[in-house]
Amino acid sequence: MSNDHMTLTETSKLLLHDKEYELPTITGSEGEVGIDITQLRNKSGAITFDSGYGNTGSCESAITFIDGEKGILRYRGYPIEELAEKSNFVEVSFLLIFGHLPNKAELEKFHFDLTHHSLIHEDMKKFFEGFPPTAHPMGILSAMVSSLSAFYPEAGYNADIKLNIVRLLAKLKTIAAFSYKKSIGQPYVYPRNDLNYAADMLHMMFAVPSESYEVPNVVAEALDLLLILHADHEQNCSTSTVRMVGSSEANLFASISAGICALWGPLHGGANQQVIEMLEKIKNDGSDYKKYINMAKDKESKFKLMGFGHRVYKNFDPRAQILKKSADKVLNQLGVNDPLLDIAKNLEEVALKDPFFIERKLYPNVDFYSGIIYRAMGIPTNMFTVMFALGRLPGWIAQWKEMRETPGARIYRPRQIYVGETKRPYVSIDKRK
Ligand code: CMC
């Protein structure tokens, strides 16, 4: 048991084929109850079945708490609303990875390390040159992160891990910005140590050698907020992927690279790009948003309201609530009047009153408004998920580190219920139909 707050007191009973099995019950620090089935197969021969892992606890974790019914999200016990208002991304990253808010000296050292490790090896520039200009930046990001393992090998877990964590946090924004510059055919802009994390990222994306450029404060602050809101979300698809790959004791870079690929999918982090593409489609179709609500309700159409619904949140996504307010503020401050924001608000208003969405508890998620803010900041649509990855990185690292440091952690290896053919003899080719 790795968590001091977890108690293993009660037992539960399972009746299977007239035989009773006693199973231990685990209670977490927020009163969440889990039935420990690790010995069930040994005792009864049965496994549990849970397609999509919707009701399976894969680990004990002390990093992030979510109560989806109440719309609660906390990193290491701190409410997301407070962190969004009072903290910054570098501090939140430290909190997630090391478990406590840094003191002044710790924060200064962390910030120093993140700036002074932000250059990437010059040889890596050759890799960028090999990609076609049409390459999606998520593909480039994942390949580059995996290739970091060639430059910074892990000789043993304890020897290099802290340094590699800092390197990865520091370099991901450089890699992300370079992948953007590559896609638009502009020269790479190197990191600047005098800028904070978000401003440096934006400077590397938008500065050009021919003119001086300073990142507007409102844009850097908006990005910092987005990164905080994305920083962790317990055992979601990409984080579980990071843990899954890391459970084989694959190195940090390989594990995070796999997480980036998982995040790319349109049902996960790729949804922010899909939301904007959907809103643009609605706008080009005469802004008839009600037609698209009807399409989302019609299963035959295969159309989903992107940015709506969540596996865990069943009342509201607290991140979406913060972002809805932020979208208004950022667009106002930048003097941007985006018709897509009005379409998004209209869609939300109609959907929230519609029985289809009410019955299924479908609410806007974090991706619904984030794309509109990214657009106002001048970030191109195919970079949205890259920004999500940048934000999620400290969460992935924290979860990977927690798993590697858990005594007795085992390789992830789910079971299955086999439903294929039973044993049959091989048929030679001349006898096959
Ligand atoms: N539009 C229309 N119907 C939907 C939607 C949607 N966006 N989402 C779910 N439903 C319906 C679904 O068809 C199902 O209906 P029924 O019970 O009649 O079969 C019901 O709601 C339950 O949905 P589900 O697919 O079983 O839910 P899930 O927990 O497996 O999937 C989800 C969650 C987020 C993948 C899904 O809601 C979805 O595809 N949403 C759109 C993509 C999206 O916005 N993804 C970003 C998630 S938040 C950011 C992140 O962490 O990645």
Side-chain angles (χ1 to χ4, degrees):
M1 228 184 298
S2 67
N3 187 342
D4 295 343
H5 297 289
M6 197 188 80
T7 48
L8 218 164
T9 44
E10 296 170 59
T11 55
S12 49
K13 284 180 184 157
L14 173 78
L15 197 63
L16 180 68
H17 301 147
D18 293 335
K19 230 180 140 191
E20 196 172 85
Y21 299 94
E22 233 174 66
L23 299 166
T25 304
I26 302 166
T27 306
S29 55
E30 293 283 352
E32 292 174 305
V33 178
I35 299 166
D36 181 347
I37 54 95
T38 42
Q39 293 307 315
L40 178 66
R41 190 169 177 278
N42 287 348
K43 288 181 183 170
S44 70
I47 62 162
T48 53
F49 180 69
D50 181 19
S51 160
Y53 307 128
N55 204 35
T56 292
S58 60
C59 60
E60 301 151 33
S61 180
I63 301 170
T64 290
F65 173 68
I66 300 177
D67 183 329
E69 306 301 327
K70 296 189 184 141
I72 292 173
L73 169 61
R74 293 185 206 131
Y75 300 159
R76 302 280 187 188
Y78 298 102
I80 190 66
E81 294 80 3
E82 274 190 62
L83 293 170
E85 194 192 327
K86 298 176 185 161
S87 187
N88 59 66
F89 179 62
V90 170
E91 186 177 69
V92 165
S93 301
F94 186 100
L95 170 71
L96 285 167
I97 295 168
F98 301 109
H100 64 275
L101 282 170
N103 63 29
K104 209 161 172 278
E106 284 172 326
L107 188 59
E108 273 169 17
K109 164 91 171 61
F110 195 51
H111 185 74
F112 179 90
D113 286 348
L114 292 194
T115 50
H116 287 78
H117 284 282
S118 57
L119 279 176
I120 55 169
H121 197 291
E122 282 292 295
D123 286 351
M124 283 188 81
K125 279 172 34 187
K126 295 190 196 119
F127 299 170
F128 283 99
E129 279 149 30
F131 286 100
T134 49
H136 195 288
M138 282 298 275
I140 301 181
L141 196 72
S142 140
M144 287 297 170
V145 168
S146 184
S147 70
L148 283 173
S149 58
F151 293 90
Y152 308 105
E154 237 174 71
Y157 181 73
N158 287 328
D160 305 303
I161 199 60
K162 209 167 167 191
L163 185 54
N164 276 357
I165 284 175
V166 165
R167 282 176 174 143
L168 181 53
L169 277 167
K171 292 179 200 308
L172 196 75
K173 65 175 161 31
T174 313
I175 293 173
F178 278 25
S179 72
Y180 171 60
K181 286 297 200 190
K182 159 75 197 172
S183 74
I184 56 168
Q186 283 188 5
Y188 306 123
V189 174
Y190 283 77
R192 258 175 54 181
N193 288 359
D194 61 319
L195 295 178
N196 70 33
Y197 196 92
D200 189 27
M201 165 72 192
L202 293 162
H203 184 263
M204 285 190 281
M205 279 183 76
F206 296 127
V208 282
S210 44
E211 56 191 55
S212 75
Y213 169 79
E214 287 305 322
V215 179
N217 270 344
V218 51
V219 178
E221 281 166 14
L223 179 58
D224 202 70
L225 173 70
L226 282 154
L227 296 178
I228 293 173
L229 297 181
H230 281 119
D232 195 46
H233 215 233
E234 49 117 310
Q235 309 313 317
N236 56 84
C237 173
S238 56
T239 302
S240 301
T241 302
V242 168
R243 280 188 180 256
M244 169 76 79
V245 175
S247 77
S248 73
E249 299 191 0
N251 66 65
L252 175 72
F253 303 116
S255 308
I256 302 291
S257 169
I260 292 170
C261 292
L263 186 75
W264 192 359
L267 299 188
H268 193 7
N272 53 16
Q273 175 173 344
Q274 301 280 323
V275 169
I276 291 298
E277 286 169 4
M278 174 187 78
L279 294 174
E280 272 170 346
K281 199 168 157 205
I282 298 176
K283 181 174 147 265
N284 296 337
D285 197 10
S287 299
D288 185 1
Y289 54 89
K290 288 187 183 153
K291 175 176 151 190
Y292 288 83
I293 295 270
N294 288 333
M295 269 166 67
K297 287 156 57 176
D298 173 12
K299 292 282 162 67
E300 297 291 302
S301 76
K302 304 271 180 239
F303 174 79
K304 273 187 174 180
L305 211 51
M306 297 314 282
F308 256 73
H310 200 276
R311 172 65 62 82
V312 178
Y313 293 119
K314 297 298 169 202
N315 250 324
F316 63 92
D317 179 339
R319 304 166 301 171
Q321 291 202 326
I322 297 170
L323 282 182
K324 188 178 177 185
K325 282 191 210 134
S326 167
D328 276 327
K329 190 176 138 201
V330 174
L331 267 64
N332 268 337
Q333 284 179 332
L334 291 174
V336 174
N337 185 8
D338 190 343
L340 298 195
L341 181 59
D342 296 330
I343 297 175
K345 284 186 178 170
N346 287 335
L347 273 178
E348 178 182 353
E349 201 185 321
V350 174
L352 293 187
K353 287 185 198 142
D354 189 302
F356 177 93
F357 294 89
I358 295 170
E359 278 159 23
R360 289 168 180 76
K361 302 189 175 186
L362 301 172
Y363 297 85
N365 59 48
V366 68
D367 289 326
F368 196 63
Y369 286 106
S370 64
I372 290 168
I373 305 178
Y374 286 135
R375 229 164 93 97
M377 290 160 66
I379 290 170
T381 317
N382 69 353
M383 282 293 286
F384 290 1
T385 315
V386 171
M387 308 314 268
F388 191 153
L390 211 59
R392 185 53 55 87
L393 182 65
W396 287 332
I397 292 174
Q399 302 270 352
W400 183 89
K401 184 169 169 286
E402 181 178 67
M403 179 196 62
R404 287 292 294 266
E405 291 173 359
T406 299
R410 303 167 76 200
I411 190 166
Y412 278 31
R413 204 320 188 168
R415 297 270 177 173
Q416 64 166 15
I417 300 287
Y418 176 70
V419 293
E421 299 288 346
T422 51
K423 190 178 177 192
R424 51 183 171 167
Y426 180 79
V427 181
S428 59
I429 194 147
D430 50 316
K431 290 192 183 136
R432 286 180 215 161
K433 286 188 208 141

